[in-house]
Amino acid sequence: MATRSFRHCSSSFVLLLLLLQLPSGSGELQSNYYAESCPNAEEIINQEVANLYDEHGNTAISWIRNLFHDCMVQSCDASLLLESKRGKGIVSEQSSSRSIGMRNFKYVTKIKEALEKECPTTVSCADIIALSARDGIVLLGGPRIEMRSGRRDGKESYASVVEEFIPNHNDSMTLVLSCFESAGIDVEGTVALLGAHSVGRVHCVNLYDRLYPTVDPTLDMDYAEYLKGRCPMPDPNPKKVRYARNDRETPMLLDNMYYKHLVAHKGLLLVDQQLASNPITAPFVQRMASDNSYFQDQFARALLTLSENSPLTGDDGEIRKDCRYINAD
Ligand code: HEM
Ligand SMILES: *[C@@H]1O[C@H](CO)[C@@H](O)[C@H](O)[C@H]1NC(C)=O
């Protein structure tokens, strides 16, 4: 037994130590790791991601957020995909308040089933998270990222640790930067990764603070009026699921429109807007707003780093048969 500690960004002093079995010779990630064990693995994932995108375009958006949530929380180990165990008192990462709005998990199961048919218990759920994000990014007009594979699946998932790694929508830029630094991502890379908020949506619970009782003065006034319409208060129909799109102009493109909006005081979340006002991050926002290929290069670089955050390799962990449950369950 060896002790493995993960750096995280919480301002508390709780030091998180996880006990994991370390293998004698821990392997490394490789490009095309499944070349011999499952030669069609990457093609199957690519095909499934494309089919799902045709039916439900927002699956591609989910694959990007999945990578962020899985890899930021300690390790890219598919802990995000494990379901809570009723009766055993285990509440998994998906139940964290930070996971609000996460969707399309059932389609990960579809991708996994296609892989199991061809190569049973061979391709990890952690690699499905990484490679589906890679392929989803291309479908959304983002960069092609050369990712390695060979990640193995973890056996634990706890909602309670998520908040130590994933910032809240209204956290300070200092805290946000320290979270990403813990995952080896620099300021420029952090600014680029937040550009994922160029696609997808935000539920009104994450916006009310900026609109009521008074409008956040850093918010463009017309945009604030629009958002109040999306998120009325009092809510005439509280049962309705209310949200606003991140980008009304190019909602299905992973592009630098996000930064153009930030410069125009139309950032949706408080953290988004703070990227443009904080003196450390603002210069990168300016440059990304005016140069889409610079944004894409930085996004690709930072996402690759994130996708290799402390993976389990070698004999660590396992290869799950069903991404929702550990094999022993
Ligand atoms: C400081 C860091 C971040 C914070 C606080 C944050 C927070 C949030 C919040 C509150 C939402 C809206 C959830 C909802 O109400 O439905 C969201 C959505 C999203 N986030 Fe982030 N996020 C961060 C960084 C990232 C990064 C680094 C990525 C990926 C590289 C990412 C990808 C996404 C995507 C794709 C969505 C839209 C999901 C959908 O529409 O289904 N986020 N994020
Ligand atoms: C941030 O938002 C949460 C709700 O999501 C709220 O409970 C908290 O008070 C807010 N924090 C600050 C500093 O405004």
Side-chain angles (χ1 to χ4, degrees):
M1 284 295 244
T3 303
R4 210 169 130 120
S5 74
F6 296 93
R7 293 183 61 198
H8 60 83
C9 54
S10 164
S11 44
S12 78
F13 292 99
V14 182
L15 187 64
L16 189 80
L17 295 171
L18 279 196
L19 295 174
L20 290 175
Q21 257 160 332
L22 281 189
S24 33
S26 143
E28 290 287 312
L29 299 183
Q30 295 168 17
S31 67
N32 207 5
Y33 177 85
Y34 299 104
E36 275 165 36
S37 59
C38 188
N40 293 326
E42 298 208 10
E43 184 48 38
I44 291 171
I45 294 173
N46 185 267
Q47 197 55 55
E48 290 295 318
V49 167
N51 293 345
L52 288 166
Y53 174 77
D54 288 343
E55 287 169 47
H56 316 277
N58 58 35
T59 51
I61 294 170
S62 298
W63 307 153
I64 305 177
R65 193 175 182 210
N66 282 357
L67 186 145
F68 170 52
H69 277 243
D70 190 43
C71 292
M72 274 303 267
V73 181
Q74 299 172 339
S75 153
C76 301
D77 61 355
S79 51
L80 172 69
L81 300 177
L82 289 176
E83 293 194 345
S84 297
K85 282 189 246 171
R86 280 182 221 92
K88 290 192 184 166
I90 293 188
V91 182
S92 73
E93 290 174 22
Q94 289 182 17
S95 309
S96 162
S97 64
R98 296 286 199 273
S99 310
I100 284 176
M102 295 193 89
R103 47 179 164 168
N104 292 319
F105 289 120
K106 65 179 175 201
Y107 297 119
V108 179
T109 305
K110 263 203 95 187
I111 301 174
K112 179 59 166 167
E113 279 168 3
L115 289 163
E116 287 299 295
K117 231 167 129 186
E118 174 117 346
C119 322
T121 339
T122 304
V123 181
S124 70
C125 298
D127 278 336
I128 293 175
I129 289 186
L131 300 177
S132 63
R134 174 188 72 181
D135 295 341
I137 286 165
V138 172
L139 292 170
L140 295 167
R144 167 98 205 151
I145 304 170
E146 296 307 328
M147 268 187 201
R148 300 190 294 168
S149 41
R151 297 164 192 77
R152 290 171 63 85
D153 299 326
K155 297 181 183 176
E156 294 177 334
S157 177
Y158 301 103
S160 55
V161 302
V162 175
E163 295 181 9
E164 293 170 29
F165 296 90
I166 307 260
N168 208 353
H169 59 93
N170 53 5
D171 273 331
S172 72
M173 206 33 71
T174 310
L175 184 84
V176 169
L177 292 176
S178 89
C179 287
F180 283 86
E181 201 198 338
S182 303
I185 295 163
D186 58 17
V187 175
E188 195 174 22
T190 303
V191 175
L193 282 180
L194 268 287
H197 291 172
S198 154
V199 292
R201 60 179 180 174
V202 169
H203 286 84
C204 292
V205 278
N206 293 315
L207 300 173
Y208 288 136
D209 280 0
R210 300 196 70 199
L211 303 172
Y212 307 104
T214 52
V215 172
D216 177 340
T218 64
L219 199 53
D220 172 84
M221 269 163 53
D222 292 337
Y223 188 54
E225 281 312 307
Y226 165 77
L227 291 177
K228 281 175 154 183
R230 295 290 308 175
C231 304
M233 181 81 91
D235 191 335
N237 182 2
K239 285 199 177 133
K240 194 169 179 309
V241 179
R242 294 189 185 274
Y243 61 87
R245 276 179 186 254
N246 270 315
D247 178 352
R248 282 187 287 162
E249 273 116 294
T250 56
M252 295 304 286
L253 281 185
L254 185 67
D255 62 2
N256 68 338
M257 191 66 81
Y258 170 76
Y259 303 95
K260 294 182 184 174
H261 286 143
L262 298 187
V263 171
H265 302 279
K266 293 177 182 174
L268 200 43
L269 298 173
L270 194 61
V271 282
D272 295 322
Q273 196 55 59
Q274 282 171 350
L275 283 181
S277 54
N278 183 291
I280 299 169
T281 51
F284 298 117
V285 169
Q286 291 291 344
R287 194 167 159 204
M288 287 177 200
S290 61
D291 186 345
N292 192 44
S293 62
Y294 164 66
F295 156 61
Q296 297 222 341
D297 289 348
Q298 291 303 320
F299 183 86
R301 180 181 68 88
L303 197 93
L304 185 64
T305 303
L306 185 57
S307 79
E308 299 194 352
N309 189 26
S310 321
L312 302 176
T313 55
D315 298 325
D316 275 345
E318 62 180 8
I319 305 296
R320 271 178 229 154
K321 296 192 210 329
D322 182 324
C323 295
R324 297 169 293 178
Y325 315 107
I326 62 172
N327 290 342
D329 271 11

